[in-house]
């Protein structure tokens, strides 16, 4: 941060694996790049799904435990409802030119944002470097993340 | 931020639509205003419910997916349990002089905090400007949010 | 923050009471101390369970409302499944030398991080000072938290 001037850098942590848990971080990173700021994305815990080759095209909406959806819990837990709601949300996003998660992640990397996976989480889930999409720059520790984030804002999502 | 001095501004993002997802951001904004800091609230995704005319008086507690509540999942999903737990929590909050969400949001706006709705989320849910309470200053983009937040702390809740 | 230099301080808010809601904040605090930064932990709402004498050894994974777990909702809500998944996760963490939550919290306090409970939440749940582990330095208000956090990064988890 340069005094009261503009924000120069945002480092966004994505820790959740649901559709509504991943989008906010992506939208904030994309918005930062559009404004010419430096943007880093750090994927940790279930957030790793958003950069996992076999998973990032299959991210689902959480249809229980989210009163904001205005769905009764019994309905949210009926098999197929999560998939149906996810498709419904995807169609609405598409109309707003917000791409599906897989495409959006790649697009954000193309704008020059840095994508990083959290070392401890990669070990925890037993993932290997090859499980992630090529756009991921590196697997880094929390300490390395703090170094990357210095001089900017940290946003945990 | 002025060196090691006090925090001068906080810009708080409210992204969840449950009672326990909305209160922390409101309490942090209220605390910031009480200390004389500038405070902005940016409502996005399901967090928009907290400023939606027809919804902000009906915010519910999430009674499943939250082990902190110490409720078994089967009980949390019984129809009516979420409403009962929400009333119980409301009574406890009332005894602590923490107002219900609708009243709290209005009170925080009265203290001079800025309330903003996220443009992309408004479009996503098909809301119009009139769906929100009058205290909302504007519907803004992520880029405009970063401009507002410059020189302070961003807190995503 | 000293210009573009290293981050000097992080103040991490832990607001959730589930295993996957508590670990990220602890890992970030621990990583900060390992890098020689000042680290404060502020426990609020359900996050208070992580410093509650009778509860911090019994923190459970949320097995519903988390598509990242790749468990069907009906299975996540079967009694015993949350406990079984929690044990499974604990074994994996142990192999990575990440201690169970109770031990991790104490270890982080030993490194010199400051542990604080949120006054409003303590009142809300009707807790007393004695309900918390001895490592908790103080019960403080949101205003006092902002004073503590000045000159550093605030991370809400």
């Amino acid at each position: 941060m340069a005094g009261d001037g503009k924000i120069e850098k945002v480092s966004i942590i994505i820790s959740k694996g649901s559709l509504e848990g991943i989008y906010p971080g992506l939208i904030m990173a994309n918005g930062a790049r559009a404004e010419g700021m430096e943007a880093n994305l750090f994927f940790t815990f279930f957030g790793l799904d958003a950069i996992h080759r076999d998973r990032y095209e299959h991210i689902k909406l959480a249809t229980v435990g989210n009163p904001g959806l205005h769905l009764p819990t019994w309905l949210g837990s009926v098999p197929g409802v999560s998939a149906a709601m996810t498709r419904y949300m995807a169609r609405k996003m598409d109309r707003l030119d917000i791409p599906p998660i897989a495409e959006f992640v790649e697009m954000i990397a193309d704008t020059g944002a840095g994508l990083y996976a959290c070392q401890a989480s990669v070990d925890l889930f037993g993932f290997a470097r090859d499980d992630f999409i090529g756009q991921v720059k590196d697997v880094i520790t929390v300490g390395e993340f703090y170094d990357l984030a210095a001089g900017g804002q940290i946003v945990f999502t």
Side-chain angles (χ1 to χ4, degrees), chain A residues 43 48 50-54 56 102 105-110 113-117 128-139:
Chain A
F43 298 87
L48 285 176
I51 49 170
H52 189 289
R53 280 183 201 289
D54 305 333
Y56 79 143
V105 167
E106 293 172 3
M107 200 185 97
I108 291 167
D110 285 347
L115 270 52
Y116 300 90
R129 183 66 188 78
D130 276 358
D131 291 323
F132 302 112
I133 56 173
Q135 284 85 350
V136 173
K137 273 196 190 159
D138 210 350
V139 179

Side-chain angles (χ1 to χ4, degrees), chain A residues 13-135:
Chain A
I13 301 167
I14 296 189
S15 69
K16 296 181 188 68
S18 60
L19 195 86
E20 76 280 18
I22 295 170
Y23 263 119
L26 297 184
I27 289 172
M28 289 191 74
N30 190 53
R33 288 301 303 138
E35 297 283 301
M37 301 174 205
E38 185 182 335
N40 297 308
L41 280 164
F42 183 68
F43 298 87
T44 186
F45 276 78
F46 303 111
L48 285 176
D49 278 4
I51 49 170
H52 189 289
R53 280 183 201 289
D54 305 333
R55 297 183 176 185
Y56 79 143
E57 288 173 324
H58 308 285
I59 301 292
K60 284 209 195 77
L61 199 73
T63 49
V64 295
N66 178 3
L69 261 188
H70 305 280
L71 267 191
T73 298
W74 66 265
L75 180 58
S77 64
V78 168
V81 168
S82 174
M85 288 291 295
T86 302
R87 279 194 305 272
Y88 169 76
M89 196 65 103
R91 274 199 306 272
K92 290 190 94 170
M93 293 243 163
D94 187 51
R95 253 179 279 149
L96 298 173
D97 287 321
I98 300 178
I101 286 189
E103 206 178 303
F104 203 15
V105 167
E106 293 172 3
M107 200 185 97
I108 291 167
D110 285 347
T111 68
L115 270 52
Y116 300 90
C118 163
Q119 181 76 64
S121 303
V122 168
D123 294 344
L124 177 64
F125 294 117
F127 291 150
R129 183 66 188 78
D130 276 358
D131 291 323
F132 302 112
I133 56 173
Q135 284 85 350

Side-chain angles (χ1 to χ4, degrees), chain A residues 9 17 65 84 141:
Chain A
K9 192 201 290 191
T141 65

